[in-house]
Amino acid sequence: MGNLCTCLAPKTTVKRKQRPTKRLPNPGPVANSSNRWSRIRSGSRKDKLDDAMLQEQALAAAILFRQHQQQNGGAGLPFDRSTSLRYSNGSKKTQLPRSSSSRARSLTDPLLQPHQLVNRDVKLDDLETNHFILVHGGGFGAWCWYKSIALLEEGGFRVTAIDLTGSGIHSFDTNGITSLSQYVKPLTDFLEKLADGEKVILAGHDFGGACISYAMELFPFKISKAIFIAAAMLINGQSTLEMFSQQTGSNDLMRQAQIFLYANGNDHPPTAIDLDKSLLKELLFNQSPAKDIALASVSMRPIPFAPVLEKLSLSDLKYGSVRRYYIETQEDNAMPISLQESMINSSPPKQVFRLKGADHSPFFSKPQALHKLLVEISKISST
């Protein structure tokens, strides 16, 4: 999300006939940034392997899409599910959890050793819950969790990745979202339908932090723990916009990347915020693999504007009764570490974990390390 306080800066109204959009002045490209999509790929062995990997992933996605159409009675039906449900098949696997990334791992995100694996020291039946609900951040979708889903499911956990309204494959127009309750409805609908006595672990990234906070106030008795991953962790009466305003003027990169959409005309407030694709790498994925940046560049959608303006109503009795944990990303260009620590100090969680070398998207840049922390938090007893 970044510093959204710039959204309220005075603007000169410009009437246009084409789709109304407006962006903040861009003083020029960030040093050392480049549009990696316009580069001519070399014929090296590594590049060919990367191309083959991308082709295989695209083919797999096409096959799944075709299967969904056939199951619904015809190729003309839209693929508009708002929730992606993924459960383990219950079989015992001896294969070790692996990340879907084929990149060389850094020293801060090594391949997990056998003694570190969840299967070695976690008895899933002894946990309060082994069901994770993953909630994406602004502009993302359930697709961004693909590595975390694979690692958790291979460890025997149940995983549900949610597409919030107008995100991922949810078909709603982002510009038509007028409230936070409308935006988080796929999440609240899912929680409402949980069986009596069933609990889940909520994990929210970026603006998803505000979304899980909203859900915690509504369904505290259905949530075992809440994990904020480089996420907006607000206090009562605060909006996401106000929280980001604490960093006024400190994030020039975000100011350059923001593109405001005015679906109702330039004389009305913005309806959504888009991000300049050429700046995605530096802003959100400065430590992430190239293929994940490519995935994001074709999958990210605009961020609805109205929900970031809405003040949350959070009570000690409900929201405050859910145990909160925060995961810091220490190489984050979109949500600087100073802002993360400011939120932590304003509303201290039960425990803070740190991901060294992680950018704003640790599910891409540090999937193994993030997985280890998620499992560790799931093991923390309520007593």
Side-chain angles (χ1 to χ4, degrees), residues 2 58 83 92 106 153 169 173 183 187 210 241 246 262-263 292 300 313 323 334 344 346 360 370 376-377 380:
T83 306
K92 295 182 179 179
S106 70
E153 286 186 341
I169 61 171
D173 181 7
Y183 182 56
L187 172 60
L241 176 67
Q246 298 174 21
Y262 293 79
D292 291 328
M300 293 190 71
S313 178
R323 288 168 291 160
I344 291 168
S346 297
H360 189 61
L370 175 61
E376 184 176 342
I377 293 172
I380 299 176

Side-chain angles (χ1 to χ4, degrees), residues 46-302:
K46 180 180 182 299
D47 287 339
K48 290 179 179 178
L49 289 174
D50 285 344
D51 285 340
M53 177 72 72
L54 289 173
Q55 290 172 3
E56 290 174 2
Q57 291 174 347
L59 179 59
I63 292 172
L64 290 174
F65 180 66
R66 180 59 178 171
Q67 288 175 342
H68 177 86
Q69 290 179 319
Q70 291 173 344
Q71 291 170 1
N72 284 276
L77 294 176
F79 188 32
D80 60 356
R81 288 184 62 198
S82 62
T83 306
S84 172
L85 301 181
R86 300 178 58 90
Y87 302 102
S88 60
N89 58 20
S91 63
K92 295 182 179 179
K93 298 184 179 181
T94 57
Q95 183 178 1
L96 302 182
R98 296 176 59 194
S99 165
S100 298
S101 173
S102 60
R103 68 187 174 93
R105 289 177 174 82
S106 70
L107 294 177
T108 58
D109 187 33
L111 183 65
L112 295 181
Q113 299 302 313
H115 70 277
Q116 297 175 297
L117 297 175
V118 57
N119 304 42
R120 297 282 174 164
D121 59 0
V122 176
K123 295 181 179 180
L124 297 177
D125 292 340
D126 293 341
L127 299 177
E128 183 177 12
T129 179
N130 66 354
H131 191 175
F132 277 92
I133 310 296
L134 306 180
V135 182
H136 62 81
F140 291 86
W143 52 266
C144 74
W145 299 104
Y146 78 95
K147 294 180 183 180
S148 298
I149 291 171
L151 288 166
L152 287 168
E153 286 186 341
E154 288 175 358
F157 287 87
R158 299 169 62 193
V159 186
T160 303
I162 302 286
D163 273 324
L164 300 177
T165 305
S167 304
I169 61 171
H170 193 284
S171 58
F172 196 85
D173 181 7
T174 306
N175 291 290
I177 298 173
T178 58
S179 67
L180 183 58
S181 63
Q182 182 185 10
Y183 182 56
V184 303
K185 192 174 188 301
L187 172 60
T188 53
D189 282 352
F190 181 86
L191 293 174
E192 188 173 19
K193 294 175 183 176
L194 287 176
D196 292 341
E198 183 177 359
K199 289 192 174 186
V200 297
I201 298 173
L202 284 185
H205 169 249
D206 186 82
F207 186 38
C211 299
I212 66 172
S213 297
Y214 182 91
M216 290 160 64
E217 181 68 20
L218 292 179
F219 304 102
F221 51 92
K222 294 188 176 184
I223 303 168
S224 170
K225 302 178 181 75
I227 306 173
F228 293 76
I229 306 170
M233 189 169 65
L234 309 180
I235 60 175
N236 180 46
Q238 187 179 37
S239 70
T240 305
L241 176 67
E242 291 172 336
M243 182 272 294
F244 279 115
S245 295
Q246 298 174 21
Q247 298 290 311
T248 302
S250 65
N251 198 336
D252 291 337
L253 183 59
M254 175 58 70
R255 292 172 62 89
Q256 296 172 43
Q258 289 173 341
I259 303 172
F260 297 97
L261 307 182
Y262 293 79
N264 299 325
N266 288 330
D267 54 342
H268 291 83
T271 52
I273 309 167
D274 208 352
L275 296 175
D276 187 333
K277 296 297 188 293
S278 68
L279 297 177
L280 285 182
K281 179 183 186 300
E282 188 68 19
L283 180 66
L284 304 176
F285 312 115
N286 52 296
Q287 301 293 324
S288 296
K291 62 178 177 289
D292 291 328
I293 304 172
L295 173 64
S297 72
V298 298
S299 303
M300 293 190 71
R301 296 176 61 179

